[in-house]
Amino acid sequence: MEPACGLLARYREWMDLPPHTRDQLTLCEGNTPLIPVPRLAERLGGGFDLYVKYEGLNPTGSFKDRGLVAAVAEAWGRGAQAVICASTGNTAASAAAYAARAGLKAVVVVPQGKVALGKLAGALAYHARVVQVQGSFDHALDLVRQAVERHPIALVNSINPYRLEGQQTAAFEIVDALGRAPDWLAIPVGNAGNITAYWMGFTRYHRAKNTGLPRLLGVQAQGAAPLVLGHPVEKPETVATAIRIGNPARGQEALQAARESGGRIIAVPDAAILEAQSWLAEEGIWVEPASAAGLAGLAAEIRQGRLDPQGKTIVVVCTGHGLKDPDIVLQHADALPTIEPKLAHLEPYLTADR
Ligand SMILES: *Cc1c(COP(=O)(O)O)cnc(C)c1O
């Protein structure tokens, strides 16, 4: 007997998946830590409980594993031979890993030159066929949608409903850990599947167990903020590549979720995202830039007096690991000192303030 681990073992009864779904598919994803960050709460003014849901600790380094385990298990059970997705990178790596695990082929279509190093390498490492498109993520998704109309290949982007069924498990875990829903959940928003899935999870649990509902603070990058502007963005630009999306597939559902929850979707500049990434690193939590958008948005709302955190429990979702995008840290770092192997040369660095 293999030990049961992963989301299909733990939360299958809460997921609306067809009977043919291959429940044995797992990389022991999910069960990620909810890390208390009291010093970070102090930095934002204090007087409340702040937690980081650290989704970078999933098997391929992002929350996408929650959705892909479900979507690939369903496709596998249906008899699909291959899966396809458009991706800013993390979906690609995750789809590739779960397809490999299931013995299926994976084709991933990515915007040329716009994918962080660790993600592209991941997709290749897991043996996906990687195709670059001369265009944006939105062009890649459009192409993939056309492809599945003509070819017997399973689409595993977040327009696939089973993706959301899997991703909602993060909300279950938060409620299971806290004993009830938090007051606020701050979360980055790109293609808007994840915020939609969280809301689905919180409401599904609340209906069954009366665990309460959070307000949702969805956060986009200012250069890629269609849900804040109210129209698609032709050429989305942001350092946060995972949310560089101009026309979110789940945009309307995300707006509705935010509204229903009594929350909202806002935008923050790249500088604020990078600052939040640095704050998290000071807590020992390294995330890729997009993952820090939730915290950046929370900080902005508190600072501007639009969100009163006093006495509240707030969860910030950090969606992906910093190792996915090492370039961004190296780009912003000072040149490293290089010395001869002599103690005297090292000593100036032992006391110097950073
Ligand atoms: C996919 C992704 C997002 C955005 O999630 P959506 O469901 O597209 O809104 C945010 N951060 C990371 C690290 C991601 O991989």
Side-chain angles (χ1 to χ4, degrees), residues 6-354:
L7 296 175
L8 290 166
R10 183 156 177 218
Y11 289 116
R12 178 66 172 85
E13 62 186 304
W14 293 92
M15 289 190 238
D16 191 6
L17 298 171
H20 63 245
T21 303
R22 295 277 196 111
D23 291 341
Q24 69 266 43
L25 185 63
T26 182
L27 285 167
C28 300
E29 62 288 322
N31 196 20
T32 56
L34 190 64
I35 307 172
V37 282
R39 265 195 321 200
L40 203 41
E42 287 303 321
R43 191 194 277 270
L44 303 186
F48 64 104
D49 290 329
L50 185 61
Y51 297 88
V52 166
K53 181 67 172 164
Y54 192 20
E55 289 289 279
L57 294 190
N58 276 295
T60 78
S62 85
F63 77 85
K64 297 297 196 302
D65 292 343
R66 295 180 184 277
L68 267 305
V69 71
V72 173
E74 188 279 330
W76 185 21
R78 174 154 44 95
Q81 306 289 304
V83 300
I84 189 169
C85 64
S87 177
T88 61
N90 280 331
T91 300
S94 186
Y98 284 92
R101 187 84 166 157
L104 310 181
K105 285 172 76 116
V107 180
V108 304
V109 184
V110 300
Q112 183 183 28
K114 301 287 188 190
V115 177
L117 189 64
K119 305 179 187 182
L120 199 56
L124 292 168
Y126 302 123
H127 294 265
R129 165 63 58 87
V130 179
V131 182
Q132 303 192 86
V133 174
Q134 296 165 324
S136 68
F137 168 84
D138 304 283
H139 293 114
L141 182 58
D142 194 46
L143 204 56
V144 163
R145 282 175 138 149
Q146 291 178 45
V148 295
E149 275 175 29
R150 300 271 180 85
H151 301 272
I153 181 165
L155 179 77
V156 293
N157 276 105
S158 62
I159 38 184
N160 176 321
Y162 310 123
R163 280 278 305 274
L164 302 198
E165 291 294 330
Q167 283 170 213
Q168 70 176 328
T169 57
F172 300 158
E173 288 177 11
I174 289 171
V175 175
D176 285 341
L178 294 176
R180 62 173 185 86
D183 297 298
W184 279 95
L185 183 94
I187 180 172
V189 174
N191 213 23
N194 208 32
I195 188 172
T196 304
Y198 267 87
W199 187 240
M200 201 167 95
F202 282 122
T203 50
R204 200 168 281 182
Y205 244 33
H206 179 57
R207 253 182 259 125
K209 310 208 247 186
N210 198 30
T211 42
L213 293 168
R215 292 180 180 216
L216 301 178
L217 182 69
V219 186
Q220 303 204 286
Q222 242 163 37
L227 301 181
V228 178
L229 297 170
H231 59 77
V233 173
E234 188 65 39
K235 289 204 168 75
E237 262 315 326
T238 166
V239 67
T241 51
I243 54 174
R244 186 191 268 150
I245 291 173
N247 191 12
R250 298 272 185 184
Q252 288 315 310
E253 287 150 281
L255 286 167
Q256 194 185 329
R259 204 178 313 120
E260 264 177 47
S261 78
R264 55 198 167 269
I265 296 179
I266 63 164
V268 293
D270 278 3
I273 290 175
L274 293 176
E275 185 180 36
Q277 182 190 33
S278 166
W279 292 344
L280 285 159
E282 284 182 41
E283 300 294 322
I285 301 169
W286 184 25
V287 304
E288 65 168 286
S291 300
L295 176 62
L298 177 67
E301 291 292 282
I302 292 176
R303 202 180 313 118
Q304 287 157 29
R306 286 198 294 264
L307 190 159
D308 177 12
Q310 289 309 306
K312 302 277 186 341
T313 297
I314 301 181
V315 172
V316 164
V317 179
C318 287
T319 43
H321 202 287
L323 282 167
K324 292 282 195 164
D325 196 354
D327 287 343
I328 196 77
V329 174
L330 296 175
Q331 277 166 22
H332 288 84
D334 297 333
L336 304 182
T338 305
I339 58 166
E340 288 172 38
K342 292 182 178 142
L343 181 59
H345 291 213
L346 178 61
E347 273 166 342
Y349 299 103
L350 300 181
T351 51
D353 229 349
R354 293 186 59 209

